Amino acid sequence: DEMELGMGIHGESGAQKLKLLPCRQTIDLALSRLFGGTRPLNLHQDDQVLLFVNNLGQSVECPSPPSTNRFIQ
């Protein structure tokens, strides 16, 4: 019932450990970190972005297609 937000692909520590959240809340939290943290992404309307979604095979709560759609919204 615990998750780690922002864990590295090679097992590096994540940004935060917290209770397991529903998929939509998890994505919203990740987006708030990307766009409102101490080093936010500064994207403009015509910028091209590559989104790589990988749950490392651990999260059945957040399947990739719905997760990707939420990020695109």
Side-chain angles (χ1 to χ4, degrees):
D1 67 335
E2 188 177 76
M3 65 184 215
E4 192 163 352
L5 183 67
M7 187 178 89
I9 191 86
H10 300 289
E12 299 90 348
S13 296
Q16 180 181 6
K17 285 186 181 181
L18 57 153
K19 292 252 185 226
L20 190 61
L21 298 172
C23 184
R24 183 171 286 245
Q25 279 184 279
T26 301
I27 293 168
D28 289 345
L29 179 59
L31 288 172
S32 71
R33 289 290 184 110
L34 284 172
F35 295 104
T38 57
R39 294 176 55 199
L41 293 177
N42 186 18
L43 298 177
H44 299 93
Q45 187 168 348
D46 293 331
D47 289 350
Q48 293 184 0
V49 176
L50 173 65
L51 174 64
F52 181 76
V53 178
N54 184 348
N55 67 7
L56 301 175
Q58 299 300 311
S59 175
V60 295
E61 298 294 322
C62 248
S64 291
S67 300
T68 304
N69 289 339
R70 180 68 180 153
F71 275 106
I72 291 170
Q73 291 173 352

